[in-house]
Each structure stands twice: as C-alpha cells, then as structure tokens.
Amino acid sequence: MKPPIIATTIVLGLACVGSSSVAQDQTQATNLQNFSVTAPAAQYETYAVTLPMGFGLQAFVGNTHRQYVQAARAAEGSEALRMKGMATQPFVTVAIDNSDGPGVAKRFLLTDSVQNTVAIVDVYCKRAAPEGKRCRLVPQVV
C-alpha cells in the first residue's frame, strides 16, 4: 500500500518543481529594460441612416483589417438578433472594409420577404479623411 502512495507523491512533487521553474522563467522574461506598450487599435466606426419605411441601414466600417474583422463579427451578431426578432433597433447591419485603396463605394439593396426592393442605400467612404466622418450613407428613392 505504501509504494503506490510514495510513487504518487514523488510524481506530484516533480510536476510541481517543473511548473515552478517555468514560472521563474516567465518572471525573468518580463523584466526587460526597453519595451513599449501600445494601446489596442481603435474600434470600427458606425454610421446609420433611418429610412421612411420604419427601419434603417447601419454600417460598421473598419479602416484597418483588424477593425474590419471586428466590424464583420459585430454585424453578424446584430443581424442574427434582428432575424430572430430580438434586435433593440430595426436596422439592417453590414460591415464595410475601408482598409485598402483610396476609398469604397458600395450599393446596398434592401428587399422584403418576396424579394421586392424596398430601399437602396449608397455608401461612400474615403480612406484619408478627418477622424469620425470618413463615410456617408445616401438613401435613394425607390
């Protein structure tokens, strides 16, 4: 009965010794003389237009690739809630990638359940513009 208990105690003791040396290595790695901490990238920009039909279009615009990925995830989540009828606001949400080139021009056709176009919204984004107002949403008459 004693040999299995002793063997288990030795194995656990060796496991603890190995983990304590790893912790010491991590502590030494964090004691660097020259390092800098950068703030996380800013979040995507949000633009919205309310349409006369009682709903609207919300555009999440990413000006970097990381922001676009965040915007796409947020748009997917928002659309999933809207499709289930659980959205707080009646906005169709899209993600727009404004990270490449001089800018973006996109047209979104909003359709009803039988595929009739009920609204058209053009989105224009500039790559180089003052912070906060890089994009413009222009609804078209149907």
Side-chain angles (χ1 to χ4, degrees):
M1 191 77 168
K2 286 185 181 180
I5 293 173
I6 294 172
T8 304
T9 305
I10 291 172
V11 169
L12 286 174
L14 291 174
C16 291
V17 168
S19 66
S20 66
S21 68
V22 171
Q24 289 173 351
D25 290 343
Q26 290 174 350
T27 303
Q28 291 172 357
T30 58
N31 292 328
L32 299 174
Q33 294 298 322
N34 298 320
F35 67 94
S36 62
V37 178
T38 57
Q43 193 176 18
Y44 53 85
E45 296 174 0
T46 302
Y47 299 89
V49 62
T50 303
L51 301 168
M53 296 71 136
F55 62 92
L57 178 80
Q58 189 171 24
F60 294 160
V61 180
N63 295 307
T64 65
H65 181 69
R66 172 178 263 161
Q67 290 175 356
Y68 172 67
V69 170
Q70 291 174 345
R73 287 181 184 154
E76 287 175 11
S78 179
E79 276 300 291
L81 288 175
R82 187 184 67 80
M83 297 298 264
K84 292 178 182 177
M86 298 171 52
T88 57
Q89 298 176 342
F91 281 98
V92 175
T93 308
V94 295
I96 297 174
D97 186 4
N98 191 30
S99 63
D100 276 339
V104 174
K106 289 196 174 211
R107 173 170 277 183
F108 293 95
L109 302 173
L110 304 174
T111 59
D112 60 10
S113 60
V114 290
Q115 300 302 316
N116 293 325
T117 301
V118 294
I120 299 172
V121 179
D122 293 327
V123 179
Y124 303 103
C125 295
K126 296 178 184 177
R127 180 80 177 115
E131 288 294 323
K133 282 295 183 186
R134 295 182 192 201
C135 297
R136 189 171 47 126
L137 278 60
V138 181
Q140 303 293 324
V141 177
V142 177

